[in-house]
Amino acid sequence: MGTSDAVVVYGATGHTGRFVVAELLRRGFTPILSGRDADRLATLAKEIGGGVEVRAAAVDDAQALDRALAGAAAVVNCAGPFAVTGGPVVEAALRAGIPYVDVAAEIEANASMFATYAGRAARAGTPVVPAMAFYGGLGDLLATAAMGDATAADMVHVAYGLSGWHPTEGTRAAGRVSHERRAGRRVRFRNGALEYHDDQLTEQDWPFPEPMGRRAVLAEFTMADVVTVPSHLDVPEVRGYMTVVAARDLAGADTPAPEAADASGRSDQTFVVDVVVRKDGVERRATAAGRDIYAITAPLAVEAVARILAGDFRVKGLASAGAMFDATDFLRSLEPHLTVETPEPAKAP
């Protein structure tokens, strides 16, 4: 395992990768810029200044990936589609004996990561945290916090209240890969398993906390929480919801990419993630609110790296955010970036 404060960011020049690099710098880490395009990496390094190191590597070149990770303390994979990059980069991390964190929102890529690498990561004693991002990681942390000391529930609802959604090209590329892998079908987690189906999504209202309030959502709009939450909690059904306006933005071929609204590069998009856990007729709610779903992924991923390198983690192997960390404490550490509500009994939606 590396002994330095150097953290490789694979996919550093991407929209989310740039936020991760900036957050690492803010937290006092030394980012190493990696990815497939040497010219773009060099341009980013010049923009940052200070002699930031560049280590270009293609995902199909194992030796180049090994060189990219040599001597580093950890790697954060921000390069989608993760169906393509996840396996090669985590394998390089396991060879190097360093922690691996990714920001994958692709359901099948995350499911494959758990199925393929859980045993290898456990045998190596190397922390591996997939989906340490807005989708997958944040919902899992909120669900785990809402569960309290319980490890089982009847159902978990994860409702995404987005003011809008201007997808990046990386999001669109990942969506195309997922659509092809599913042959155009939809996916949900029901009866304790991922289930592929052709049912139409239904519209209903969801009572988000103020100031968002009640909004129209699409039910069974499934995100990576259907992999992360049941990976460590005994829950037979995880149901997702997305505000209709955001779903329409995502579906629109002409919806532009996010635009910076301040010097940090964040857009003016706002969000609320509202998680309701139901057990024996009792419901508990945990919520988080903030701005820019891509930007918030950076403090999530970097906090995970910081905790792992400080020894503040629970699993020497592969685990989701809620299993790897103290969920409530982790969420509280994000409060400069997020407004977090402590879990409390909630009424049925």
Side-chain angles (χ1 to χ4, degrees):
M1 183 175 291
T3 58
S4 70
D5 63 355
V7 177
V8 174
V9 181
Y10 193 80
T13 62
H15 188 79
T16 301
R18 286 172 174 263
F19 283 120
V20 171
V21 170
E23 182 67 10
L24 285 166
L25 288 167
R26 190 188 71 81
R27 294 284 299 266
F29 291 98
T30 301
I32 296 173
L33 312 184
S34 190
R36 294 161 282 199
D37 192 321
D39 290 339
R40 291 182 64 190
L41 290 167
T43 299
L44 177 58
K46 186 176 180 180
E47 291 174 6
I48 295 171
V52 176
E53 188 174 358
V54 169
R55 298 180 183 177
V59 291
D60 60 354
D61 187 339
Q63 290 184 339
L65 285 173
D66 289 345
R67 290 192 295 271
L69 271 55
V75 58
V76 181
N77 184 7
C78 300
F82 292 89
V84 176
T85 69
V89 180
V90 76
E91 287 180 5
L94 291 173
R95 289 194 298 271
I98 63 173
Y100 168 94
V101 172
D102 74 32
V103 299
E106 299 160 38
I107 293 169
E108 288 78 15
N110 283 313
S112 178
M113 182 68 71
F114 276 91
T116 306
Y117 295 104
R120 288 178 58 181
R123 289 190 293 273
T126 302
V128 172
V129 190
M132 193 65 247
F134 178 79
Y135 292 119
L138 182 55
D140 184 40
L141 289 166
L142 290 166
T144 307
M147 294 277 285
D149 294 332
T151 59
D154 301 322
M155 182 179 288
V156 172
H157 303 268
V158 184
Y160 290 99
L162 274 58
S163 62
W165 188 353
H166 288 198
T168 65
E169 179 51 40
T171 295
R172 291 196 182 278
R176 289 190 292 268
V177 170
S178 293
H179 187 269
E180 291 171 2
R181 292 181 72 172
R182 300 174 193 167
R185 295 174 297 168
R186 297 185 175 90
V187 62
R188 60 193 171 203
F189 187 83
R190 193 165 67 173
N191 299 318
L194 290 176
E195 184 179 277
Y196 290 86
H197 65 94
D198 296 308
D199 298 346
Q200 293 299 309
L201 300 181
T202 59
E203 187 173 322
Q204 66 180 70
D205 285 347
W206 184 272
F208 290 100
E210 296 297 341
M212 178 164 283
R214 187 172 292 273
R215 296 292 178 97
V217 298
L218 291 179
E220 294 194 337
F221 193 103
T222 304
M223 302 305 291
D225 316 283
V226 296
V227 176
T228 56
V229 172
S231 73
H232 66 106
L233 299 174
D234 182 7
V235 181
E237 184 168 356
V238 179
R239 189 175 297 180
Y241 307 80
M242 178 65 69
T243 45
V244 170
V245 64
R248 287 175 179 165
D249 281 348
L250 178 64
D254 297 329
T255 304
E259 295 183 359
D262 62 24
S264 73
R266 293 189 306 168
S267 71
D268 59 6
Q269 175 199 51
T270 58
F271 64 81
V272 176
V273 184
D274 192 26
V275 175
V276 176
V277 174
R278 180 179 298 155
K279 179 176 174 60
D280 298 330
V282 177
E283 295 188 339
R284 291 179 61 82
R285 172 176 263 116
T287 66
R291 181 177 153 201
D292 194 325
I293 64 173
Y294 296 106
I296 197 60
T297 289
L300 281 160
V302 174
E303 179 66 18
V305 169
R307 288 182 178 236
I308 290 170
L309 296 182
D312 186 11
F313 63 97
R314 294 175 167 177
V315 179
K316 292 183 177 180
L318 189 152
S320 69
M324 184 66 74
F325 308 109
D326 180 321
T328 299
D329 184 65
F330 194 108
L331 288 166
R332 294 299 175 201
S333 74
L334 298 172
E335 287 190 331
H337 309 278
L338 286 172
T339 300
V340 178
E341 292 293 330
T342 303
E344 60 184 8
K347 297 179 181 179

